[in-house]
């Protein structure tokens, strides 16, 4: 294994999660604009919730693999500031990858709306309109934060590639 690459398992999970998360964030504005009883909206939400459960499972698997797999050190060419920003952005992204599906689950459970998946997802929270509203607001806030930190993550990768002339993509591809 090359010393500058993440393990194959971490690389696969990274890109799989990226695909799921981006595919969930992209239709967000469209979903919100549709009327409540719209069939398309209902179908999109069903897929959205299933993807959210999948992301939560993948982040648990990813944390496990990260704990027991090779993680290459940050480039020695990074300034202390860049290294710290990288660590903070990655930490926040991991945190949001947990908070987003958990807040979505709380919202669905507290509203009594089932989550369709490959197996039955129990709704463990009694109906509670106030909790539903709080979870909804948090879920929306986390979505915007996720967009912001994904954008920072991508800008950082592009900066290191095109400005610093470091091929950091080889670490994750």
């Amino acid at each position: 294994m090359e010393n500058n690459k993440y393990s194959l398992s971490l690389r696969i999970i990274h890109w799989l999660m990226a695909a799921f998360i981006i595919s969930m964030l992209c239709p967000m504005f469209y979903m919100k604009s549709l009327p409540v009883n719209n069939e398309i909206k209902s179908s999109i939400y069903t897929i959205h919730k299933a993807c959210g459960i999948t992301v939560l499972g993948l982040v648990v698997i990813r944390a496990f693999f990260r704990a027991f797999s090779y993680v290459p050190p940050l480039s020695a060419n990074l300034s202390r500031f860049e290294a710290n920003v990288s660590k903070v952005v990655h930490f926040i992204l991991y945190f949001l990858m947990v908070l987003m599906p958990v807040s979505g689950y709380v919202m669905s459970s507290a509203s009594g709306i089932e989550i369709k998946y490959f197996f039955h997802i129990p709704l463990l929270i009694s109906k509670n309109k106030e909790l539903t509203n709080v979870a909804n607001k948090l879920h929306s806030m986390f979505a915007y934060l996720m967009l912001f930190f994904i954008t920072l993550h991508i800008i950082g990768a592009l900066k290191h590639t095109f400005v610093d002339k470091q091929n950091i993509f080889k670490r994750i591809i």
Side-chain angles (χ1 to χ4, degrees):
M1 176 185 342
E2 294 180 30
N3 283 344
N4 61 349
K5 276 194 169 207
Y6 283 91
S7 69
L8 179 60
S9 58
L10 284 175
R11 288 182 279 150
I12 290 169
I13 292 171
H14 172 274
W15 291 108
L16 191 58
M17 290 185 75
F20 271 108
I21 291 168
I22 290 168
S23 70
M24 290 170 59
L25 289 171
C26 287
M28 173 176 66
F29 298 107
Y30 179 64
M31 288 188 315
K32 296 269 185 190
S33 71
L34 294 172
V36 174
N37 293 328
N38 186 294
E39 279 187 39
I40 293 171
K41 184 174 191 164
S42 176
S43 296
I44 294 171
Y45 271 112
T46 298
I47 295 166
H48 180 84
K49 290 176 187 183
C51 289
I53 296 295
T54 302
V55 166
L56 185 58
L58 285 172
V59 79
V60 170
I61 293 167
R62 185 175 181 170
F64 176 81
F65 277 114
R66 187 166 171 102
F68 296 104
S69 297
Y70 176 75
V71 175
L74 292 173
S75 171
N77 297 333
L78 290 182
S79 70
R80 175 178 248 155
F81 174 76
E82 288 174 315
N84 287 335
V85 168
S86 175
K87 288 176 186 175
V88 168
V89 167
H90 281 92
F91 175 79
I92 291 171
L93 283 170
Y94 272 97
F95 197 58
L96 289 169
M97 286 185 281
V98 172
L99 290 177
M100 291 265 324
V102 168
S103 63
Y105 171 81
V106 169
M107 182 173 34
S108 285
S109 190
S111 65
I113 300 172
E114 72 176 333
I115 301 168
K116 295 175 185 167
Y117 200 64
F118 298 111
F119 52 87
H120 176 69
I121 305 290
L123 302 180
L124 301 174
I125 300 170
S126 299
K127 279 191 171 186
N128 181 325
K129 191 169 184 153
E130 293 79 27
L131 182 57
T132 300
N133 290 335
V134 169
N136 186 11
K137 285 183 174 75
L138 286 172
H139 195 68
S140 294
M141 181 183 73
F142 295 151
Y144 286 108
L145 286 170
M146 182 70 84
L147 283 170
F148 176 75
F149 284 99
I150 288 171
T151 302
L152 281 182
H153 183 62
I154 293 168
I155 288 170
L158 293 173
K159 181 242 184 223
H160 293 301
T161 301
F162 296 112
V163 175
D164 301 339
K165 305 292 188 213
Q166 299 172 348
N167 185 7
I168 63 159
F169 284 105
K170 68 183 175 191
R171 293 166 46 103
I172 201 70
I173 294 178

